[in-house]
Amino acid sequence: MMWEANGWSPPMPVYKASELKPLFSELENNQHRQLFLICGAHDWAVEQLGRLFQLSEDSLVLSKHQGLSNACWPEHLHQILGQEFELAVYDGYAGINPNKLAALSGTVKAGGLMVLLLPELAELADWVDPSAATWCSFGYTVTDSPFLKRWQNSLTHADISYWSQVNGLHLSLNGLIRHSPATYTQQQEVVSSIGLSLVSSTPMPVLLSADRGRGKSAALGLLAASMAHKQFIICALQYRAVKNSFKHLAQALGLTYQGHEKQLANLKFVPPDQLLSQDLEGQVLLIDEAASIPVPILIALSRKTSQCVFSSTIIGYEGNGRGYTLRFQNYLKQQYPNHVSLILQHPIRYQDNDPLERVINQLFALDCRYPIVEHIDQPSFCQLDRTTLADDEALLQQAFALLVLAHYQTTVNDLRQLLDSPSNVIFAIRNQKQLLGLCLVNLEGQLPDELHRDIAAGVRRPQGHLLPQQLFSAQGDNHFLKAKFARVVRIVITPELHQKGLGSDLLNYAESQLSTRVDYFGSSFGATAQLLNFWQKNSYQLVRLGFKQDKASGEYAAMVVKSRQRNHTHINDLSAHFRTNFSYQLLNHYQRLPWQLVKQILTAMPNQPVPPSLQAQLKFLATRGQMLEQDSATIWHILLLSPKLLLHISDISQQLGIRLLLQNNTKAWLASDLNLTSRKQFDQALNTLVHELYGQLTKLH
């Protein structure tokens, strides 16, 4: 062609909004939504966006481009969610943030479009995304993006509409389909089923599951409206998640809802951390997005009232519900064999087989499913390469599904972090057919000397180096800023193979592969007795416990460390510092820390010599057998010096020693839990504690 030989190209045809009419007509008729790509140079793409679409009040544009006066770039997802638009635009040139993009897709109405501005797909894998540094720890350089390479492949083969600066306009038209108008028939059936369960003579927990857009939040609001004689509490991590419930309650009762009321008619919003300390008997508890709340919290809430409805999105940016499904449903099957399980299958905001839902699920692995493992079948260990994961979709789906099991607040940002963070190292245990477990490790430390002063002053916090900075902050020891760390971000074994030692085997393999590259291994996690026991069994020492509880779980962050160095002075100093602080903080800040966790923490500490004077005083208390409360400081002191004594005394003595003496709780607060309803029973229990401690202490000395 002459223009190619002469070094110039023909002008691209100019398209008009009218040429998209067949697409909009089809989407409107089919009540579907679709993704529309505009691929090319940034300024060109912005120009064509204005040429093709009318950016009215019924549109939301996420962009930083100065040519888009009506655009915004919200920092928080709640600024996006809870709205509906005919047109939603995401400017990829502002940076591909998966959480933002997935949230935006949920705002598109039936018949609408989500427009995504990108470079040409052929250039996507080599394009320098402005947000690349988000997924990169300080000191590392982004050289490639397996995440965008996977996108390049997925979008190239997806049946979507696009306008390319190079390839022109293409509309994905699949023809008209017959559909029935959206109704709340299925929601009404669900409401009726739940209502019957709640008024039965033996109410059972109800599980309500659905994909996004199926109207489960609407069903909860309709349920409260249909049972005006009952008081409902609705619980979720964020108030925004339950706005739709309040909206449908208001519509059903003819009330005004302005979008911010946390109590309306017989429905009240309470976050999960507040619910744990409230009396819920006689009230109906509705838990929305239950998959995003830790299973121990769900179990605790199920015990507080006999009338519970657990509602959750099984897939979505709110967090994949696989862990919730496996763990919590197993608990309910054991405790409540006759519990009710309901599923909302048909979307109400758009029709089945929605093209936008399909492509978003593919791009973010939102529909990843982990297959049930039948048998171990000669497991082997390996290291997984990020590029290999991006190229092998089946392997990636399994890996991400496993990571979802390891944490209750997984988001689609975690998928990009997995694929694009150059400091990540991924280890796996697998059989011939599938992954059985995954260990995700982040390499940290070796922070330059010039940053140390700013870190100490709180002026700088280099991204991605959690362990060295947290350990430094405990005592100001610069050694930890210079040292090399391997932080286990997540470790998970498929639930079917728990209690077989595979988690420890995988952890040992990861340590062996990294042993020449780091000085310390460590991890940070929500502290429970069971989790801490796993790390301690693998020779990790607890050196720090967070001071603030997680709002969702109520757990404190525990930090454990294992040294590869022969000289353990730095870790021993940290452990001694932690022991002193924890012993004091048990009396106040950690008063309500679960006693099993306190026991797990204390009994891992080495015993210290008990002075003869204390031993003699304990002997005197054991022989006297009365007025023991007045000398409780003696028992308190001995337990702190020799905490392993707790391992060899009765369960009620353990609880009494920990909860009453070490945690300084009142007798009244403990009375019902320990079934000590009278002064005589309490004195007998305290006397038993003293005798058991004296007997065990005598064996030690």
Side-chain angles (χ1 to χ4, degrees):
M1 297 181 181
M2 187 176 297
W3 53 81
E4 291 179 346
N6 293 335
W8 66 279
S9 57
M12 286 295 299
V14 176
Y15 298 103
K16 301 177 181 178
S18 59
E19 297 188 60
L20 298 186
K21 188 174 181 179
L23 176 62
F24 278 111
S25 296
E26 182 178 296
L27 292 175
E28 179 64 29
N29 178 82
N30 295 345
Q31 286 294 283
H32 277 164
R33 310 164 308 152
Q34 199 178 108
L35 178 66
F36 188 96
L37 297 184
I38 299 182
C39 297
H42 194 193
D43 288 341
W44 176 88
V46 169
E47 180 184 348
Q48 310 322 310
L49 176 68
R51 188 186 302 276
L52 284 183
F53 303 104
Q54 183 177 358
L55 302 179
S56 63
E57 292 184 358
D58 202 12
S59 60
L60 177 61
V61 181
L62 303 191
S63 175
K64 298 178 182 178
H65 196 281
Q66 294 181 350
L68 294 168
S69 58
N70 59 338
C72 62
W73 191 254
E75 291 298 317
H76 305 289
L77 293 186
H78 66 78
Q79 297 170 282
I80 301 173
L81 295 162
Q83 307 175 83
E84 285 191 319
F85 302 97
E86 295 237 352
L87 181 69
V89 179
Y90 189 98
D91 184 356
Y93 279 94
I96 304 298
N97 181 295
N99 277 1
K100 274 192 177 73
L101 195 92
L104 184 66
S105 72
T107 69
V108 182
K109 294 178 182 179
L113 277 182
M114 177 171 173
V115 180
L116 176 57
L117 276 56
L118 286 175
E120 295 289 352
L121 291 184
E123 304 168 2
L124 193 58
D126 300 317
W127 172 59
V128 179
D129 181 351
S131 69
T134 306
W135 325 106
C136 188
S137 294
F138 173 84
Y140 287 84
T141 303
V142 177
T143 56
D144 63 342
S145 174
F147 176 85
L148 289 178
K149 182 180 179 183
R150 175 179 173 270
W151 261 35
Q152 181 185 54
N153 181 64
S154 296
L155 290 171
T156 300
H157 294 93
D159 183 16
I160 54 178
S161 299
Y162 62 82
W163 185 4
S164 162
Q165 190 172 5
V166 172
N167 299 312
L169 180 67
H170 167 78
L171 299 183
S172 173
L173 300 174
N174 300 303
L176 304 182
I177 61 173
R178 295 183 61 185
H179 69 273
S180 55
T183 67
Y184 289 96
T185 303
Q186 195 175 35
Q187 279 69 27
Q188 291 165 351
E189 292 172 353
V190 162
V191 167
S192 177
S193 297
I194 297 175
L196 289 174
S197 175
L198 293 178
V199 298
S200 68
S201 56
T202 56
M204 288 287 171
V206 177
L207 285 179
L208 176 60
S209 304
D211 285 347
R212 287 175 54 209
R214 268 62 181 175
K216 60 178 178 52
S217 295
L220 297 181
L222 294 172
L223 173 67
S226 69
M227 304 181 75
H229 61 289
K230 284 187 171 291
Q231 293 299 310
F232 287 79
I233 293 178
I234 190 163
C235 163
L237 292 183
Q238 301 288 340
Y239 173 71
R240 59 171 172 77
V242 301
K243 282 187 174 184
N244 222 19
S245 300
F246 280 99
K247 174 184 172 183
H248 282 85
L249 170 76
Q251 289 177 351
L253 298 180
L255 303 174
T256 300
Y257 174 59
Q258 298 178 346
H260 56 77
E261 297 92 332
K262 294 187 177 179
Q263 181 161 7
L264 194 65
N266 61 332
L267 184 63
K268 179 182 179 181
F269 170 76
V270 182
D273 56 331
Q274 295 181 25
L275 274 180
L276 290 172
S277 59
Q278 294 186 13
D279 180 13
L280 305 179
E281 196 55 46
Q283 302 181 79
V284 181
L285 178 59
L286 310 175
I287 302 180
D288 203 2
E289 293 311 337
S292 62
I293 297 175
V295 170
I297 302 299
L298 298 178
I299 292 173
L301 292 175
S302 72
R303 292 170 175 167
K304 294 182 76 69
T305 176
S306 58
Q307 299 177 306
C308 303
V309 180
F310 299 91
S311 167
S312 190
T313 304
I314 296 305
I315 62 171
Y317 54 80
E318 297 92 342
N320 189 301
R322 180 66 170 161
Y324 158 82
T325 303
L326 288 172
R327 299 172 190 170
F328 188 54
Q329 284 195 359
N330 286 343
Y331 164 79
L332 288 182
K333 287 176 183 177
Q334 294 172 3
Q335 300 296 320
Y336 307 96
N338 298 320
H339 74 273
V340 180
S341 184
L342 303 169
I343 298 176
L344 284 169
Q345 295 177 321
H346 303 298
I348 59 172
R349 288 167 46 200
Y350 40 82
Q351 286 293 306
D352 288 327
N353 303 312
D354 180 66
L356 179 59
E357 182 178 71
R358 186 167 59 246
V359 72
I360 291 295
N361 285 350
Q362 165 61 25
L363 289 176
F364 296 124
L366 286 173
D367 50 2
C368 63
R369 295 285 190 268
Y370 186 79
I372 294 176
V373 178
E374 300 294 339
H375 49 84
I376 297 180
D377 188 27
Q378 297 180 330
S380 61
F381 299 95
C382 63
Q383 181 174 335
L384 298 178
D385 180 77
R386 294 183 294 118
T387 302
T388 302
L389 271 179
D391 291 341
D392 188 335
E393 188 64 22
L395 186 65
L396 176 64
Q397 295 265 336
Q398 287 186 25
F400 198 61
L402 274 172
L403 290 177
V404 163
L405 291 176
H407 200 269
Y408 56 88
Q409 290 178 325
T410 302
T411 71
V412 289
N413 271 359
D414 293 311
L415 178 66
R416 182 156 195 190
Q417 185 77 39
L418 173 70
L419 293 176
D420 278 7
S421 174
S423 56
N424 275 350
V425 189
I426 309 163
F427 300 101
I429 180 171
R430 63 182 306 168
N431 61 19
Q432 294 180 352
K433 296 181 180 179
Q434 68 189 99
L435 299 178
L436 305 177
L438 212 66
C439 180
L440 176 62
V441 177
N442 192 55
L443 299 179
E444 302 178 349
Q446 285 191 303
L447 294 168
D449 292 346
E450 57 267 24
L451 287 182
H452 292 187
R453 181 176 295 179
D454 285 348
I455 293 172
V459 177
R460 292 286 300 275
R461 189 176 180 181
Q463 180 169 294
H465 297 266
L466 176 67
L467 283 181
Q469 294 181 85
Q470 288 288 313
L471 296 181
F472 166 75
S473 70
Q475 293 181 299
D477 188 347
N478 281 27
H479 164 79
F480 292 115
L481 297 179
K482 298 176 181 179
K484 294 175 287 185
F485 287 83
R487 175 168 61 93
V488 179
V489 180
R490 295 187 193 178
I491 183 167
V492 59
I493 300 294
T494 179
E496 292 89 352
L497 298 179
H498 281 183
Q499 307 303 320
K500 297 182 182 296
L502 295 180
S504 294
D505 292 343
L506 179 56
L507 183 60
N508 292 336
Y509 174 75
E511 292 174 3
S512 69
Q513 297 301 299
L514 295 173
S515 60
T516 60
R517 300 174 60 182
V518 301
D519 305 308
Y520 299 97
F521 295 93
S523 188
S524 180
F525 52 90
T528 65
Q530 184 179 11
L531 266 180
L532 183 56
N533 180 52
F534 167 79
W535 290 101
Q536 289 174 338
K537 284 196 306 183
N538 285 283
S539 302
Y540 284 73
Q541 289 181 254
L542 178 64
V543 293
R544 187 180 178 92
L545 192 66
F547 221 60
K548 292 183 179 180
Q549 291 174 281
D550 183 275
K551 289 184 178 180
S553 68
E555 295 167 355
Y556 295 91
M559 189 166 287
V560 294
V561 180
K562 181 178 184 178
S563 175
R564 280 200 62 256
Q565 301 173 335
R566 291 184 179 179
N567 182 357
H568 294 178
T569 302
H570 299 283
I571 295 298
N572 290 340
D573 287 347
L574 270 182
S575 296
H577 177 73
F578 171 72
R579 181 173 187 159
T580 300
N581 279 284
F582 184 69
S583 299
Y584 169 72
Q585 289 158 353
L586 272 176
L587 295 169
N588 41 70
H589 189 76
Y590 296 130
Q591 266 190 311
R592 300 298 168 87
L593 202 66
W595 73 269
Q596 300 93 331
L597 176 58
V598 175
K599 175 187 171 183
Q600 189 68 41
I601 293 173
L602 291 176
T603 55
M605 297 175 178
N607 282 344
Q608 296 175 340
V610 178
S613 59
L614 271 182
Q615 295 183 50
Q617 184 66 22
L618 185 65
K619 180 180 180 180
F620 173 66
L621 293 179
T623 55
R624 188 177 65 179
Q626 57 183 347
M627 303 295 288
L628 298 178
E629 278 188 85
Q630 294 181 14
D631 215 345
S632 57
T634 298
I635 312 170
W636 167 82
H637 197 181
I638 289 173
L639 285 174
L640 287 180
L641 287 173
S642 194
K644 292 187 189 301
L645 291 172
L646 289 165
L647 295 170
H648 307 290
I649 61 178
S650 63
D651 186 82
I652 192 169
S653 290
Q654 289 178 29
Q655 291 196 56
L656 202 61
I658 292 172
R659 300 173 71 185
L660 180 71
L661 302 179
L662 296 180
Q663 291 184 288
N664 196 33
N665 287 304
T666 64
K667 290 189 295 182
W669 192 72
L670 296 175
S672 59
D673 287 352
L674 299 181
N675 198 26
L676 303 175
T677 55
S678 69
R679 173 65 184 241
K680 182 179 180 180
Q681 288 176 322
F682 179 81
D683 288 343
Q684 287 175 341
L686 196 58
N687 191 47
T688 300
L689 168 62
V690 169
H691 277 84
E692 290 181 354
L693 284 179
Y694 177 66
Q696 293 301 321
L697 192 61
T698 303
K699 293 179 182 178
L700 290 178
H701 298 272

